[in-house]
Amino acid sequence: MNPQHLPVQELSKSSSTKDLYVNKIRDGTVIDHISAGHALDVLRILEIHGGEGHIVSVAMNVPSKTTSKKDIVKVENRELRPGEADKIALITPGATINIIRDYEVAEKTRVKLPDVIKGIVKCANPACVSNAGEPVEPKFLVERQDPLRLRCFYCVRIMDKQDVLKQF
Amino acid sequence: MNPQHLPVQELSKSSSTKDLYVNKIRDGTVIDHISAGHALDVLRILEIHGGEGHIVSVAMNVPSKTTSKKDIVKVENRELRPGEADKIALITPGATINIIRDYEVAEKTRVKLPDVIKGIVKCANPACVSNAGEPVEPKFLVERQDPLRLRCFYCVRIMDKQDVLKQF
C-alpha cells in the first residue's frame, strides 16, 4: 500500500505530539461546513458510533473561511442513505456533502431543505394525528431554515432545532 | 497567525476532497491508542459534545503499529480532570495520554487501572449497600483489565465493560 494512500498517517513519528495527516479517502463521504459543534449530531444521524469499523475523522470548532468556525466529518466507504442529507440539513443548513469515488469528488452538493419535509421527523405533539397510529406520514412546512422553524401540517405545532435533535 | 500554527489547515484548497492536516496543538491533550471504536466513549467521558468550543479532532479505526486499528482523540486547551484517566482506562486499557503544553509533550502516560477503584463507577446492583443512600463509596476489585472484569467490594456483583459504558 502506497503510504500516500494510507487514510491516516502519523507524521514525525519521533514526535509524541501525534501530528495526524488525514489523507484523501478513496471512497466515502466528506461532510463539510457543518455548523460548529454539530459534528457528533451528524455522526448520530449517520448511525456511526465507532464500532462499525469505518475509518472516520472528525474535526470540531476549526477555523473556516466562510464562517468563524465549523465542523467536518469524513467517513470512508459510506455514502449517504435516503433521508440522511435532509436530516443533516435540518440541523446544519449550510453543510456541503462531497461524495468521493476513487479519490475524486463524484458529487458535491450543498444540503437544502425542501419547503415541505415528510417522514424525516415526528411531530413533537403526542396528540397530533400523525402520532395516533393512523397511516398518516408526518409532514412539516419549513417556515425558516436558520434558526430552524417547522410547522406541523396537521396540528400546527411549531418545532425548532432542539425538538429535532432529540429525535436523532 | 502563522499558518503552521493553525490547528487545522485545508491543504490543496482547489481539491474538494478536503484533505485535512490536523496540526500540532499548542496546549491540550492527545489520547492515543484508544481501542478501535471507542473514541466517542472517550469524548463522553471528557463531557465533550461539541458545543463547548474546544478544537477537537477524532480519528476512528485508523491503522496502528501496535494493534490492527485504533482511535485517537485530540483536544485543544483541555487537560484531564481527576478521575477521567481512570474512566478511560476502564474502557480502553492500552490508551496513552499526552499532555501538550506550548507545543511540547509535558507528560506522557499510559493509562493503568489500579487494583482497586473507588468512586468512578456505581455498582450495577440496585440492592448493593453502595446504592442505598448510605455514605458508602462504590469500590471495586479489578479482577481483569482486558476484557474488563470488576467485582464489587460489597455485594460481589461482577461488572463488565458494557455495564461501565452505560454509566458514561
Short mmCIF file of all heavy atoms in Angstrom, two decimals, chain B residues 31-90:
data_model
loop_
_atom_site.label_atom_id
_atom_site.label_comp_id
_atom_site.label_asym_id
_atom_site.label_seq_id
_atom_site.Cartn_x
_atom_site.Cartn_y
_atom_site.Cartn_z
N ILE B 31 -5.14 11.81 23.29
CA ILE B 31 -5.35 10.46 23.82
C ILE B 31 -5.21 9.51 22.65
O ILE B 31 -5.99 9.55 21.70
CB ILE B 31 -6.74 10.35 24.49
CG1 ILE B 31 -6.82 11.42 25.59
CG2 ILE B 31 -6.94 8.96 25.09
CD1 ILE B 31 -8.22 11.83 25.90
N ASP B 32 -4.16 8.71 22.72
CA ASP B 32 -3.81 7.85 21.59
C ASP B 32 -3.99 6.39 21.99
O ASP B 32 -4.15 6.07 23.17
CB ASP B 32 -2.36 8.15 21.19
CG ASP B 32 -2.02 7.61 19.80
OD1 ASP B 32 -2.90 7.03 19.14
OD2 ASP B 32 -0.86 7.79 19.38
N HIS B 33 -3.93 5.52 20.98
CA HIS B 33 -4.05 4.07 21.21
C HIS B 33 -5.34 3.70 21.94
O HIS B 33 -5.36 2.78 22.77
CB HIS B 33 -2.82 3.53 21.96
CG HIS B 33 -1.55 3.79 21.22
ND1 HIS B 33 -0.67 4.77 21.59
CD2 HIS B 33 -1.05 3.26 20.08
CE1 HIS B 33 0.34 4.80 20.73
NE2 HIS B 33 0.14 3.90 19.81
N ILE B 34 -6.37 4.44 21.62
CA ILE B 34 -7.70 4.08 22.13
C ILE B 34 -8.16 2.83 21.36
O ILE B 34 -7.99 2.76 20.14
CB ILE B 34 -8.69 5.23 21.88
CG1 ILE B 34 -8.23 6.51 22.62
CG2 ILE B 34 -10.11 4.84 22.30
CD1 ILE B 34 -8.99 7.77 22.18
N SER B 35 -8.74 1.87 22.05
CA SER B 35 -9.27 0.68 21.37
C SER B 35 -10.19 1.14 20.25
O SER B 35 -11.06 2.00 20.46
CB SER B 35 -10.08 -0.19 22.34
OG SER B 35 -9.32 -0.49 23.47
N ALA B 36 -10.02 0.54 19.07
CA ALA B 36 -10.79 0.96 17.89
C ALA B 36 -12.28 0.97 18.19
O ALA B 36 -12.83 0.02 18.75
CB ALA B 36 -10.50 0.02 16.72
N GLY B 37 -12.91 2.08 17.84
CA GLY B 37 -14.36 2.18 18.02
C GLY B 37 -14.77 2.85 19.32
O GLY B 37 -15.96 3.04 19.56
N HIS B 38 -13.80 3.20 20.16
CA HIS B 38 -14.16 3.78 21.47
C HIS B 38 -13.90 5.29 21.59
O HIS B 38 -14.04 5.85 22.67
CB HIS B 38 -13.44 3.04 22.59
CG HIS B 38 -14.08 1.72 22.93
ND1 HIS B 38 -15.34 1.63 23.48
CD2 HIS B 38 -13.66 0.45 22.77
CE1 HIS B 38 -15.65 0.36 23.66
NE2 HIS B 38 -14.66 -0.40 23.23
N ALA B 39 -13.57 5.96 20.49
CA ALA B 39 -13.28 7.40 20.58
C ALA B 39 -14.47 8.19 21.11
O ALA B 39 -14.31 9.10 21.92
CB ALA B 39 -12.87 7.94 19.21
N LEU B 40 -15.67 7.82 20.65
CA LEU B 40 -16.84 8.61 21.09
C LEU B 40 -17.13 8.37 22.58
O LEU B 40 -17.63 9.26 23.26
CB LEU B 40 -18.06 8.29 20.22
CG LEU B 40 -17.89 8.60 18.73
CD1 LEU B 40 -19.18 8.30 17.96
CD2 LEU B 40 -17.47 10.05 18.50
N ASP B 41 -16.79 7.19 23.07
CA ASP B 41 -16.93 6.95 24.51
C ASP B 41 -15.96 7.84 25.29
O ASP B 41 -16.30 8.36 26.35
CB ASP B 41 -16.66 5.47 24.83
CG ASP B 41 -17.64 4.53 24.15
OD1 ASP B 41 -18.84 4.86 24.13
OD2 ASP B 41 -17.22 3.49 23.63
N VAL B 42 -14.75 8.00 24.73
CA VAL B 42 -13.77 8.87 25.40
C VAL B 42 -14.28 10.31 25.41
O VAL B 42 -14.20 11.00 26.43
CB VAL B 42 -12.39 8.76 24.72
CG1 VAL B 42 -11.44 9.85 25.22
CG2 VAL B 42 -11.78 7.37 24.98
N LEU B 43 -14.85 10.77 24.29
CA LEU B 43 -15.42 12.13 24.27
C LEU B 43 -16.51 12.27 25.33
O LEU B 43 -16.61 13.29 26.00
CB LEU B 43 -16.01 12.46 22.89
CG LEU B 43 -15.03 12.70 21.75
CD1 LEU B 43 -15.79 13.15 20.51
CD2 LEU B 43 -13.98 13.74 22.12
N ARG B 44 -17.32 11.22 25.48
CA ARG B 44 -18.39 11.28 26.50
C ARG B 44 -17.79 11.38 27.89
O ARG B 44 -18.28 12.14 28.73
CB ARG B 44 -19.28 10.04 26.39
CG ARG B 44 -20.72 10.39 26.04
CD ARG B 44 -21.69 9.25 26.13
NE ARG B 44 -21.16 7.97 25.75
CZ ARG B 44 -21.16 7.48 24.51
NH1 ARG B 44 -21.67 8.17 23.52
NH2 ARG B 44 -20.66 6.29 24.26
N ILE B 45 -16.72 10.61 28.14
CA ILE B 45 -16.06 10.69 29.45
C ILE B 45 -15.55 12.11 29.70
O ILE B 45 -15.66 12.63 30.80
CB ILE B 45 -14.90 9.67 29.52
CG1 ILE B 45 -15.47 8.25 29.62
CG2 ILE B 45 -13.97 9.96 30.69
CD1 ILE B 45 -14.43 7.14 29.46
N LEU B 46 -15.01 12.73 28.65
CA LEU B 46 -14.48 14.10 28.79
C LEU B 46 -15.59 15.15 28.77
O LEU B 46 -15.33 16.34 28.89
CB LEU B 46 -13.48 14.39 27.67
CG LEU B 46 -12.26 13.46 27.57
CD1 LEU B 46 -11.38 13.88 26.40
CD2 LEU B 46 -11.46 13.46 28.87
N GLU B 47 -16.83 14.67 28.60
CA GLU B 47 -18.00 15.55 28.52
C GLU B 47 -17.87 16.57 27.38
O GLU B 47 -18.24 17.74 27.52
CB GLU B 47 -18.27 16.23 29.86
CG GLU B 47 -18.68 15.19 30.91
CD GLU B 47 -18.90 15.78 32.30
OE1 GLU B 47 -18.61 16.96 32.51
OE2 GLU B 47 -19.36 15.01 33.17
N ILE B 48 -17.32 16.09 26.27
CA ILE B 48 -17.20 16.93 25.08
C ILE B 48 -18.31 16.53 24.11
O ILE B 48 -18.36 15.39 23.65
CB ILE B 48 -15.81 16.76 24.42
CG1 ILE B 48 -14.76 17.41 25.32
CG2 ILE B 48 -15.79 17.36 23.02
CD1 ILE B 48 -13.35 17.17 24.89
N HIS B 49 -19.20 17.48 23.86
CA HIS B 49 -20.31 17.22 22.95
C HIS B 49 -20.19 18.10 21.70
O HIS B 49 -20.96 17.95 20.77
CB HIS B 49 -21.64 17.44 23.66
CG HIS B 49 -21.73 16.67 24.96
ND1 HIS B 49 -21.91 15.31 25.00
CD2 HIS B 49 -21.59 17.07 26.25
CE1 HIS B 49 -21.91 14.90 26.26
NE2 HIS B 49 -21.72 15.95 27.04
N GLY B 50 -19.27 19.02 21.70
CA GLY B 50 -19.04 19.87 20.53
C GLY B 50 -19.34 21.32 20.82
O GLY B 50 -18.63 22.21 20.36
N GLY B 51 -20.37 21.56 21.59
CA GLY B 51 -20.82 22.93 21.85
C GLY B 51 -19.91 23.69 22.81
O GLY B 51 -20.10 24.89 23.01
N GLU B 52 -18.93 23.01 23.39
CA GLU B 52 -18.06 23.66 24.37
C GLU B 52 -17.06 24.60 23.70
O GLU B 52 -16.42 25.41 24.38
CB GLU B 52 -17.30 22.62 25.20
CG GLU B 52 -18.18 21.62 25.94
CD GLU B 52 -18.73 20.53 25.04
OE1 GLU B 52 -18.15 20.31 23.95
OE2 GLU B 52 -19.76 19.92 25.40
N GLY B 53 -16.87 24.43 22.39
CA GLY B 53 -16.00 25.35 21.66
C GLY B 53 -14.55 24.90 21.53
O GLY B 53 -13.78 25.52 20.80
N HIS B 54 -14.14 23.84 22.24
CA HIS B 54 -12.76 23.34 22.07
C HIS B 54 -12.54 22.87 20.64
O HIS B 54 -13.43 22.25 20.05
CB HIS B 54 -12.51 22.09 22.95
CG HIS B 54 -12.67 22.32 24.40
ND1 HIS B 54 -11.76 23.01 25.14
CD2 HIS B 54 -13.63 21.91 25.27
CE1 HIS B 54 -12.15 23.03 26.40
NE2 HIS B 54 -13.28 22.38 26.50
N ILE B 55 -11.34 23.10 20.12
CA ILE B 55 -10.97 22.44 18.87
C ILE B 55 -10.68 20.98 19.21
O ILE B 55 -9.88 20.67 20.09
CB ILE B 55 -9.73 23.10 18.24
CG1 ILE B 55 -10.08 24.52 17.79
CG2 ILE B 55 -9.24 22.27 17.06
CD1 ILE B 55 -8.91 25.27 17.20
N VAL B 56 -11.39 20.09 18.54
CA VAL B 56 -11.28 18.67 18.82
C VAL B 56 -11.07 17.96 17.50
O VAL B 56 -11.72 18.29 16.51
CB VAL B 56 -12.57 18.14 19.48
CG1 VAL B 56 -12.51 16.63 19.69
CG2 VAL B 56 -12.84 18.86 20.80
N SER B 57 -10.17 17.00 17.47
CA SER B 57 -10.13 16.12 16.30
C SER B 57 -10.15 14.68 16.75
O SER B 57 -9.63 14.33 17.82
CB SER B 57 -8.94 16.43 15.40
OG SER B 57 -7.75 16.30 16.11
N VAL B 58 -10.81 13.88 15.96
CA VAL B 58 -11.04 12.48 16.29
C VAL B 58 -10.73 11.65 15.05
O VAL B 58 -11.10 12.04 13.94
CB VAL B 58 -12.53 12.27 16.68
CG1 VAL B 58 -12.81 10.79 16.92
CG2 VAL B 58 -12.90 13.10 17.89
N ALA B 59 -10.03 10.55 15.24
CA ALA B 59 -9.84 9.61 14.14
C ALA B 59 -10.25 8.24 14.66
O ALA B 59 -9.86 7.85 15.77
CB ALA B 59 -8.39 9.60 13.69
N MET B 60 -11.05 7.54 13.89
CA MET B 60 -11.54 6.22 14.33
C MET B 60 -11.14 5.14 13.36
O MET B 60 -11.18 5.35 12.14
CB MET B 60 -13.07 6.24 14.41
CG MET B 60 -13.62 7.13 15.50
SD MET B 60 -15.39 6.84 15.74
CE MET B 60 -16.05 8.31 14.99
N ASN B 61 -10.77 4.01 13.91
CA ASN B 61 -10.47 2.82 13.10
C ASN B 61 -9.32 3.05 12.12
O ASN B 61 -9.37 2.61 10.98
CB ASN B 61 -11.73 2.36 12.35
CG ASN B 61 -12.85 1.98 13.29
OD1 ASN B 61 -12.68 1.10 14.12
ND2 ASN B 61 -13.98 2.66 13.19
N VAL B 62 -8.30 3.75 12.60
CA VAL B 62 -7.16 4.03 11.74
C VAL B 62 -6.05 2.99 11.99
O VAL B 62 -6.00 2.39 13.06
CB VAL B 62 -6.62 5.47 11.95
CG1 VAL B 62 -7.70 6.48 11.57
CG2 VAL B 62 -6.16 5.68 13.38
N PRO B 63 -5.19 2.78 11.00
CA PRO B 63 -4.13 1.78 11.17
C PRO B 63 -3.21 2.13 12.33
O PRO B 63 -2.94 3.30 12.59
CB PRO B 63 -3.36 1.86 9.84
CG PRO B 63 -4.29 2.50 8.88
CD PRO B 63 -5.15 3.42 9.68
N SER B 64 -2.74 1.12 13.01
CA SER B 64 -1.87 1.32 14.16
C SER B 64 -0.67 0.39 14.04
O SER B 64 -0.77 -0.68 13.44
CB SER B 64 -2.65 0.99 15.43
OG SER B 64 -1.79 0.71 16.49
N LYS B 65 0.45 0.82 14.60
CA LYS B 65 1.62 -0.04 14.54
C LYS B 65 1.51 -1.21 15.51
O LYS B 65 1.97 -2.30 15.24
CB LYS B 65 2.88 0.77 14.89
CG LYS B 65 3.47 1.52 13.70
CD LYS B 65 4.74 2.24 14.09
CE LYS B 65 4.45 3.37 15.07
NZ LYS B 65 5.64 4.10 15.50
N THR B 66 0.88 -0.96 16.66
CA THR B 66 0.90 -1.99 17.69
C THR B 66 -0.33 -2.90 17.66
O THR B 66 -0.24 -4.07 17.98
CB THR B 66 1.00 -1.33 19.09
OG1 THR B 66 0.02 -0.28 19.15
CG2 THR B 66 2.38 -0.72 19.29
N THR B 67 -1.48 -2.32 17.30
CA THR B 67 -2.65 -3.18 17.14
C THR B 67 -3.13 -3.00 15.71
O THR B 67 -2.60 -2.18 14.98
CB THR B 67 -3.77 -2.75 18.12
OG1 THR B 67 -4.04 -1.36 17.89
CG2 THR B 67 -3.36 -2.94 19.56
N SER B 68 -4.12 -3.70 15.29
CA SER B 68 -4.51 -3.56 13.89
C SER B 68 -5.18 -2.21 13.64
O SER B 68 -4.94 -1.58 12.63
CB SER B 68 -5.43 -4.71 13.49
OG SER B 68 -6.57 -4.72 14.29
N LYS B 69 -5.98 -1.75 14.56
CA LYS B 69 -6.68 -0.48 14.39
C LYS B 69 -6.78 0.23 15.74
O LYS B 69 -6.78 -0.41 16.78
CB LYS B 69 -8.11 -0.71 13.87
CG LYS B 69 -8.17 -1.24 12.45
CD LYS B 69 -9.59 -1.18 11.90
CE LYS B 69 -10.55 -2.06 12.68
NZ LYS B 69 -11.92 -1.99 12.12
N LYS B 70 -6.90 1.54 15.68
CA LYS B 70 -7.02 2.31 16.91
C LYS B 70 -7.81 3.57 16.65
O LYS B 70 -8.08 3.94 15.50
CB LYS B 70 -5.64 2.68 17.45
CG LYS B 70 -4.88 3.66 16.55
CD LYS B 70 -3.57 4.12 17.16
CE LYS B 70 -2.86 5.11 16.24
NZ LYS B 70 -1.62 5.63 16.80
N ASP B 71 -8.17 4.24 17.72
CA ASP B 71 -8.80 5.56 17.65
C ASP B 71 -7.88 6.58 18.32
O ASP B 71 -7.04 6.21 19.16
CB ASP B 71 -10.15 5.57 18.38
CG ASP B 71 -11.25 4.81 17.64
OD1 ASP B 71 -10.94 4.17 16.63
OD2 ASP B 71 -12.40 4.87 18.10
N ILE B 72 -8.05 7.82 17.96
CA ILE B 72 -7.25 8.91 18.56
C ILE B 72 -8.19 10.09 18.82
O ILE B 72 -9.05 10.40 17.99
CB ILE B 72 -6.13 9.39 17.62
CG1 ILE B 72 -5.29 8.21 17.11
CG2 ILE B 72 -5.22 10.41 18.32
CD1 ILE B 72 -4.37 8.58 15.95
N VAL B 73 -7.99 10.75 19.94
CA VAL B 73 -8.76 11.96 20.27
C VAL B 73 -7.77 13.04 20.67
O VAL B 73 -6.83 12.79 21.44
CB VAL B 73 -9.75 11.69 21.43
CG1 VAL B 73 -10.31 13.00 21.99
CG2 VAL B 73 -10.89 10.79 20.97
N LYS B 74 -7.98 14.22 20.14
CA LYS B 74 -7.08 15.34 20.39
C LYS B 74 -7.94 16.53 20.79
O LYS B 74 -8.85 16.91 20.05
CB LYS B 74 -6.40 15.64 19.05
CG LYS B 74 -5.06 16.22 19.10
CD LYS B 74 -4.39 15.97 17.75
CE LYS B 74 -3.32 16.95 17.48
NZ LYS B 74 -2.63 16.67 16.20
N VAL B 75 -7.67 17.10 21.92
CA VAL B 75 -8.49 18.21 22.42
C VAL B 75 -7.60 19.38 22.78
O VAL B 75 -6.66 19.22 23.57
CB VAL B 75 -9.30 17.81 23.67
CG1 VAL B 75 -10.30 18.90 24.03
CG2 VAL B 75 -10.01 16.49 23.47
N GLU B 76 -7.90 20.52 22.19
CA GLU B 76 -7.09 21.70 22.50
C GLU B 76 -7.60 22.39 23.76
O GLU B 76 -8.80 22.44 24.03
CB GLU B 76 -7.15 22.67 21.31
CG GLU B 76 -5.99 23.65 21.35
CD GLU B 76 -5.72 24.30 20.00
OE1 GLU B 76 -6.67 24.78 19.38
OE2 GLU B 76 -4.54 24.33 19.59
N ASN B 77 -6.65 22.94 24.51
CA ASN B 77 -6.99 23.72 25.71
C ASN B 77 -7.81 22.96 26.73
O ASN B 77 -8.76 23.49 27.30
CB ASN B 77 -7.71 25.01 25.32
CG ASN B 77 -6.82 25.93 24.53
OD1 ASN B 77 -5.61 25.97 24.74
ND2 ASN B 77 -7.39 26.65 23.58
N ARG B 78 -7.44 21.69 26.90
CA ARG B 78 -8.19 20.91 27.89
C ARG B 78 -7.23 19.86 28.43
O ARG B 78 -6.66 19.09 27.67
CB ARG B 78 -9.38 20.25 27.17
CG ARG B 78 -10.15 19.24 27.96
CD ARG B 78 -11.14 19.91 28.91
NE ARG B 78 -12.26 19.02 29.22
CZ ARG B 78 -12.16 17.95 30.01
NH1 ARG B 78 -11.03 17.65 30.59
NH2 ARG B 78 -13.22 17.20 30.22
N GLU B 79 -7.03 19.86 29.74
CA GLU B 79 -6.28 18.77 30.36
C GLU B 79 -7.26 17.88 31.10
O GLU B 79 -8.42 18.25 31.30
CB GLU B 79 -5.19 19.34 31.28
CG GLU B 79 -4.18 20.17 30.48
CD GLU B 79 -2.87 20.45 31.23
OE1 GLU B 79 -2.71 19.96 32.37
OE2 GLU B 79 -2.02 21.16 30.66
N LEU B 80 -6.80 16.70 31.47
CA LEU B 80 -7.72 15.76 32.11
C LEU B 80 -8.01 16.17 33.54
O LEU B 80 -7.15 16.68 34.26
CB LEU B 80 -7.14 14.35 32.09
CG LEU B 80 -6.98 13.73 30.71
CD1 LEU B 80 -6.68 12.24 30.83
CD2 LEU B 80 -8.23 13.93 29.86
N ARG B 81 -9.24 15.94 33.94
CA ARG B 81 -9.64 16.22 35.32
C ARG B 81 -9.48 14.94 36.15
O ARG B 81 -9.44 13.84 35.59
CB ARG B 81 -11.10 16.67 35.34
CG ARG B 81 -11.32 17.95 34.55
CD ARG B 81 -12.79 18.36 34.51
NE ARG B 81 -12.97 19.47 33.59
CZ ARG B 81 -13.95 19.57 32.70
NH1 ARG B 81 -14.88 18.64 32.60
NH2 ARG B 81 -14.02 20.61 31.89
N PRO B 82 -9.44 15.08 37.46
CA PRO B 82 -9.28 13.88 38.30
C PRO B 82 -10.34 12.83 37.96
O PRO B 82 -11.51 13.16 37.78
CB PRO B 82 -9.46 14.42 39.72
CG PRO B 82 -9.09 15.86 39.63
CD PRO B 82 -9.51 16.31 38.26
N GLY B 83 -9.92 11.61 37.84
CA GLY B 83 -10.86 10.53 37.58
C GLY B 83 -11.04 10.21 36.10
O GLY B 83 -11.41 9.10 35.75
N GLU B 84 -10.79 11.19 35.23
CA GLU B 84 -11.04 10.95 33.80
C GLU B 84 -10.09 9.89 33.23
O GLU B 84 -10.50 9.05 32.43
CB GLU B 84 -10.94 12.25 33.00
CG GLU B 84 -12.14 13.17 33.26
CD GLU B 84 -12.08 14.49 32.50
OE1 GLU B 84 -10.97 14.94 32.11
OE2 GLU B 84 -13.14 15.11 32.33
N ALA B 85 -8.82 9.92 33.65
CA ALA B 85 -7.87 8.91 33.15
C ALA B 85 -8.30 7.52 33.59
O ALA B 85 -8.20 6.56 32.82
CB ALA B 85 -6.46 9.22 33.62
N ASP B 86 -8.79 7.38 34.82
CA ASP B 86 -9.26 6.07 35.29
C ASP B 86 -10.47 5.60 34.49
O ASP B 86 -10.58 4.42 34.16
CB ASP B 86 -9.62 6.12 36.78
CG ASP B 86 -8.38 6.17 37.67
OD1 ASP B 86 -7.28 5.86 37.15
OD2 ASP B 86 -8.51 6.48 38.85
N LYS B 87 -11.36 6.53 34.19
CA LYS B 87 -12.53 6.14 33.38
C LYS B 87 -12.09 5.68 32.00
O LYS B 87 -12.61 4.70 31.46
CB LYS B 87 -13.50 7.33 33.25
CG LYS B 87 -14.26 7.63 34.52
CD LYS B 87 -15.27 8.75 34.29
CE LYS B 87 -16.06 9.05 35.55
NZ LYS B 87 -17.00 10.17 35.36
N ILE B 88 -11.13 6.39 31.42
CA ILE B 88 -10.62 5.99 30.11
C ILE B 88 -9.97 4.61 30.20
O ILE B 88 -10.18 3.74 29.36
CB ILE B 88 -9.63 7.05 29.56
CG1 ILE B 88 -10.39 8.34 29.23
CG2 ILE B 88 -8.88 6.53 28.33
CD1 ILE B 88 -9.51 9.54 28.94
N ALA B 89 -9.22 4.37 31.27
CA ALA B 89 -8.57 3.07 31.46
C ALA B 89 -9.59 1.95 31.55
O ALA B 89 -9.35 0.83 31.09
CB ALA B 89 -7.70 3.10 32.72
N LEU B 90 -10.75 2.24 32.11
CA LEU B 90 -11.78 1.20 32.23
C LEU B 90 -12.24 0.71 30.86
O LEU B 90 -12.48 -0.48 30.68
CB LEU B 90 -13.00 1.74 33.00
CG LEU B 90 -12.88 1.81 34.53
CD1 LEU B 90 -14.05 2.59 35.11
CD2 LEU B 90 -12.83 0.40 35.13
#
